[in-house]
Amino acid sequence: MMFKSVWFLRRLMQRYGGNSKQRSFVRLASGAAEGAVASPVDPGSITAEQAVRIWAQHFKQHGISEPLLSSQYIVAHVLGRKTLECVERGKLRDTLTDRERERVWNLCSKRLTRMPVQYVIEEWDFRDLTLKMRPPVFIPRPETEELVGLVLEDLQLRWGEMYRTDLRCLEVGCGSGAISLSLLHSIPQLRVFALDQSQTAVCLTTENASRLGLQDRLDVRHLDVINVSNPPYLLSQEMKSLQTEILRFEDHGALDGGSDGLSVIRPILALASKLLTERGRVYLEVDPCHPPIIQKLIEERMLGLLYLETRCDLTNRPRFCILQKNGKND
């Protein structure tokens, strides 16, 4: 079996600074509530390109992260595409229909509240899958894709291209189902048992599995194994540094890992030592400061588990830990 413990420190969106002069049609609507950020005035007739520019400028003026990308993703979504590059050039210059313009204004107004784009458009791509997203279920970060790639590479090295026929995986804190469903999609022989203490997360994983036709090899349960879902590794002192988008909309139980970031990882390791079959492995994504601490913890207290190696992420930071049941390294 395989375990994962995932929280992602990389912020998906970096803040753009500075302001630019507003065009006349980007003025704030009158009558806005005091302290609230109003949407730009709806001009009534506008092309997709113009809508992107209007909202990118408005987002930037009000300190919204990734103003241009936010605007592009939302307009592309309304036009039925993943990105603006996928929209036909002529379509970008066509006047939006009343319904399209209304949807753009409604969705962009949600982004104006700092709601993450993934929640605004209610979907996001993970590797080669498109997953439905819903607050406050944890949004998978780019490091999650690296973790899945690491697991697939490791399994192929151990059991060959076809893998073995009885491969099983346990995911604690499945969230949207990103890891479980990506593994199921890549390994036809795999069966996954996924747990989450959040009923919203369980329902979302089930919905995504059904949409992708993977529900027959996935068993999802609403179960509070260690009082949290999406096992975190963020140190409590770092919580204050998170973006408003994260703190306001995502589940704090999936963020705070305690004073040392290991308050949830420790009991997961204890559980793994009892549940793993012979040669079963644990794959963890952790803070860069954690690998030596976890290795020492395993060597001193976790009998039956062997710390195999630490892998770096794409930014060359020590991010992933691989452990194995018993002392066989094969």
Side-chain angles (χ1 to χ4, degrees):
M1 286 189 290
M2 295 174 288
F3 282 77
K4 72 93 178 169
S5 176
V6 177
W7 197 84
F8 310 94
L9 286 177
R10 175 180 295 172
R11 297 172 180 178
L12 183 63
M13 299 180 177
Q14 299 297 321
R15 182 182 301 279
Y16 276 70
N19 293 320
S20 58
K21 187 180 295 181
Q22 284 184 293
R23 298 178 188 273
S24 60
F25 51 72
V26 194
R27 63 189 182 279
L28 297 180
S30 60
E34 184 177 357
V37 178
S39 301
V41 172
D42 185 342
S45 179
I46 191 174
T47 67
E49 286 182 329
Q50 289 171 330
V52 168
R53 288 196 296 269
I54 288 175
W55 277 102
Q57 187 178 34
H58 199 62
F59 287 153
K60 183 175 182 179
Q61 182 186 13
H62 293 285
I64 302 301
S65 302
E66 294 283 9
L68 180 58
L69 280 178
S70 295
S71 180
Q72 290 175 337
Y73 274 125
I74 291 172
V75 172
H77 176 73
V78 169
L79 296 178
R81 296 290 186 268
K82 299 287 185 183
T83 66
L84 215 60
E85 289 74 16
C86 297
V87 179
E88 298 84 351
R89 197 65 188 167
K91 180 70 173 175
L92 291 176
R93 298 189 178 116
D94 289 343
T95 300
L96 294 173
T97 66
D98 291 342
R99 182 182 180 187
E100 289 171 340
R101 191 182 68 254
E102 182 180 355
R103 286 196 67 203
V104 168
W105 251 249
N106 287 339
L107 295 181
C108 284
S109 296
K110 289 183 178 181
R111 180 70 184 110
L112 207 54
T113 69
R114 299 298 185 93
M115 176 179 282
V117 171
Q118 295 92 332
Y119 291 154
V120 170
I121 65 176
E122 299 183 350
E123 67 178 27
W124 202 246
D125 285 352
F126 181 85
R127 289 174 64 88
D128 49 357
L129 303 178
T130 298
L131 302 174
K132 298 294 288 185
M133 292 289 149
R134 189 172 302 129
V137 179
F138 192 68
I139 299 169
R141 268 58 170 183
E143 288 87 344
T144 327
E145 300 190 20
E146 293 185 56
L147 178 63
V148 171
L150 183 155
V151 173
L152 293 174
E153 176 186 351
D154 192 51
L155 293 179
Q156 185 170 357
L157 289 174
R158 296 179 69 196
W159 290 306
E161 185 176 354
M162 297 304 294
Y163 305 107
R164 70 183 194 184
T165 58
D166 61 343
L167 190 62
R168 292 173 293 155
C169 171
L170 171 63
E171 182 180 14
V172 178
C174 55
S176 63
I179 291 177
S180 290
L181 296 174
S182 187
L183 290 173
L184 286 169
H185 179 73
S186 300
I187 309 174
Q189 300 91 339
L190 178 67
R191 298 190 67 86
V192 173
F193 191 82
L195 311 174
D196 206 295
Q197 64 89 33
S198 165
Q199 184 62 56
T200 303
V202 169
C203 292
L204 186 57
T205 292
T206 302
E207 178 183 343
N208 279 326
S210 297
R211 291 176 64 250
L212 297 168
L214 298 171
Q215 69 276 11
D216 291 343
R217 292 185 287 125
L218 175 67
D219 191 352
V220 189
R221 299 294 179 90
H222 180 210
L223 184 63
D224 188 354
V225 176
I226 46 177
N227 298 320
V228 299
S229 67
N230 294 316
Y233 60 68
L234 186 65
L235 279 64
S236 295
Q237 65 193 35
E238 296 177 319
M239 288 288 290
K240 295 180 180 179
S241 67
L242 295 177
Q243 282 184 303
T244 303
E245 282 86 344
I246 298 174
L247 287 175
R248 185 177 295 174
F249 291 96
E250 295 192 62
D251 184 1
H252 286 200
L255 303 173
D256 193 344
S259 60
D260 62 359
L262 296 173
S263 62
V264 179
I265 292 178
R266 282 193 185 91
I268 285 182
L269 293 176
L271 185 66
S273 66
K274 296 180 176 65
L275 296 183
L276 280 174
T277 59
E278 184 178 356
R279 298 166 59 197
R281 291 191 173 182
V282 182
Y283 300 88
L284 300 173
E285 179 183 346
V286 298
D287 186 89
C289 73
H290 284 154
I293 300 175
I294 293 176
Q295 183 171 2
K296 183 178 180 181
L297 185 67
I298 291 297
E299 293 171 351
E300 292 181 350
R301 303 179 187 178
M302 301 296 179
L303 297 178
L305 287 179
L306 175 67
Y307 192 96
L308 295 181
E309 63 176 311
T310 300
R311 297 276 189 92
C312 293
D313 60 20
L314 291 178
T315 62
N316 204 33
R317 292 176 295 179
R319 180 67 68 186
F320 309 106
C321 302
I322 304 178
L323 298 77
Q324 180 172 286
K325 180 82 170 187
N326 73 34
K328 297 180 181 180
N329 184 359
D330 54 355

